[in-house]
Amino acid sequence: MSNFKETLIKIRPHHGMCIQFFRGEGYSREFVSGMMRIITALNAGAVIELTDRADSICALCPNNCGGVCSSAEKVAGFDAEVLRLCGLNIGERISWAEFEKSVRQNIIDNGKIKSVCEGCQWAYICHENIKNAELK
């Protein structure tokens, strides 16, 4: 994995939100470590493929039950809303930079996080980060 620009990373659309607000918290040390490796690869220029199945981040998640999320219906809703707001589709391959920018412009900067993340156990992190950014 030394040349990240040649790396293709499968990402669930809603993880475009999670990654932007990630601050080292997670289900376990292994999960956090894996997330940090993925973020490093993404920031180094990896290309992503949007998927509606378990992705690279899901690999170390305790909700991953044999490649299927135990909260499959809930996360499918998160994914669908990100795709709708960003005008993207499952299977699309784009640079992480393009996807990150689209998520930021179409969701975060437009105050639409709640429409995507309603019911997410980690939503408090996103809301805290946004609140702190507004206070600066």
Side-chain angles (χ1 to χ4, degrees):
M1 239 181 166
S2 60
N3 187 353
F4 291 123
K5 292 187 183 208
E6 295 177 8
T7 303
L8 177 68
I9 299 176
K10 292 191 177 200
I11 295 287
R12 290 197 75 131
H14 79 274
H15 284 152
M17 303 284 296
C18 306
I19 292 167
Q20 293 195 45
F21 293 106
F22 183 71
R23 64 181 190 195
E25 293 182 39
Y27 303 103
S28 66
R29 274 192 214 156
E30 293 79 18
F31 177 85
V32 170
S33 178
M35 182 74 137
M36 293 174 84
R37 281 192 306 274
I38 291 166
I39 291 170
T40 297
L42 292 171
N43 289 332
V47 171
I48 66 166
E49 179 179 320
L50 298 172
T51 185
D52 57 359
R53 305 201 187 289
D55 67 6
S56 302
I57 293 169
C58 300
L60 295 171
C61 178
N63 295 326
N64 182 351
C65 304
V68 177
C69 184
S70 62
S71 301
E73 189 175 318
K74 180 168 66 171
V75 296
F78 298 159
D79 289 338
E81 190 67 359
V82 170
L83 292 172
R84 184 184 73 76
L85 292 169
C86 293
L88 298 168
N89 297 295
I90 293 297
E92 200 162 332
R93 290 183 179 188
I94 59 174
S95 72
W96 166 249
E98 288 177 83
F99 183 57
E100 181 181 39
K101 181 179 177 183
S102 182
V103 168
R104 180 152 301 278
Q105 289 177 340
N106 294 302
I107 300 171
I108 298 167
D109 293 346
N110 281 336
K112 297 190 179 188
I113 289 178
K114 283 187 181 181
S115 74
V116 174
C117 303
E118 187 73 31
C120 173
Q121 75 182 66
W122 303 103
Y124 73 93
I125 293 172
C126 304
H127 298 300
E128 286 175 7
N129 282 331
I130 290 169
K131 189 175 186 179
N132 290 338
E134 289 172 351
L135 295 174
K136 288 182 182 179

